[in-house]
Amino acid sequence: WISPVVSCIRASGFPSHASGRHLGLALSLRCCSVILSTMSELPDCFYCRKDQRLHDLMIEIAPLSASTLYLFREQTHRGRCVVAYRAHVNELFELSDAEMALFTKDVARAAKAIKTAFGAKKINYGAYSDKLPHLHMHLVPKYEGGASWGSTFEMMPANKKLLTDADYAELIAAIKRAL
């Protein structure tokens, strides 16, 4: 629900450095009806709705400057993540130069954290969106001699490697320390 709030506050003309009291006033006076109508008008996109479809595939790690970092549940490639842009756009060229710079910095920051946390030899990047029209980037750590080394990673391998909740928590903690 936070994206419509932020969009509404921006649209209301309040500067980003305004105090919490002013932002609260903007929210209460100008945004409530916009938020309620926006929530019912969200596209059928699990990145926007943050519904069970999203939770079945990934776990939120942290919000970044222009996006959100998620741990992909399928962990054939230890530390595999997705960076999803916060607003509902499908193509990089739909972003302004400033938005693209923030998104690209988020991707680079997350990739560096994954490589640092797990010692990957290389990070592969994948942006497809054929079936899910929302700008997101798969960050797939590759390990020399490991799965798909020297070739393209499989989006959903036949032998999925799923972990325990404790194992996911451990991976998330390592990535957060490296962010």
Side-chain angles (χ1 to χ4, degrees), residues 4-178:
V5 173
V6 171
S7 297
C8 185
I9 290 171
R10 284 186 184 148
S12 71
F14 278 82
S16 59
H17 63 275
S19 71
R21 186 184 69 196
H22 290 115
L23 294 177
L25 181 61
L27 176 62
S28 62
L29 294 178
R30 296 186 176 139
C31 297
C32 289
S33 64
V34 172
I35 292 165
L36 292 174
S37 65
T38 303
M39 291 301 289
S40 64
E41 296 170 8
L42 285 174
D44 187 24
C45 167
F46 63 67
Y47 287 114
C48 294
R49 292 185 179 266
K50 297 186 183 282
D51 61 20
Q52 193 60 45
R53 297 171 296 174
L54 176 77
H55 301 299
D56 288 346
L57 289 173
M58 54 195 82
I59 304 164
E60 185 171 329
I61 297 174
L64 302 174
S65 297
S67 52
T68 303
L69 177 61
Y70 296 96
L71 181 71
F72 209 72
R73 288 188 185 276
E74 200 293 305
Q75 284 290 303
T76 296
H77 303 279
R78 187 168 186 251
R80 179 179 174 185
C81 290
V82 170
V83 176
Y85 191 70
R86 279 204 196 103
H88 189 75
V89 298
N90 191 30
E91 303 287 353
L92 281 171
F93 60 76
E94 294 176 42
L95 302 177
S96 69
D97 290 346
E99 292 166 331
M100 190 180 319
L102 286 174
F103 179 67
T104 304
K105 284 181 183 180
D106 285 351
V107 169
R109 179 180 173 206
K112 183 178 180 182
I114 293 164
K115 190 168 186 171
T116 300
F118 305 115
K121 180 81 171 176
K122 175 71 175 102
I123 303 293
N124 283 186
Y125 303 85
Y128 305 105
S129 296
D130 300 32
K131 295 180 181 179
L132 177 62
H134 187 110
L135 181 59
H136 63 285
M137 182 79 65
H138 292 264
L139 305 180
V140 183
K142 301 290 272 304
Y143 303 91
E144 199 163 0
S148 304
W149 179 254
S151 65
T152 307
F153 68 92
E154 284 185 74
M155 184 62 68
M156 289 301 247
N159 297 321
K160 293 177 183 66
K161 183 173 183 179
L162 301 175
L163 308 177
T164 66
D165 288 345
D167 290 336
Y168 288 127
E170 187 178 302
L171 294 179
I172 289 169
I175 293 167
K176 283 183 173 182
R177 283 192 300 272

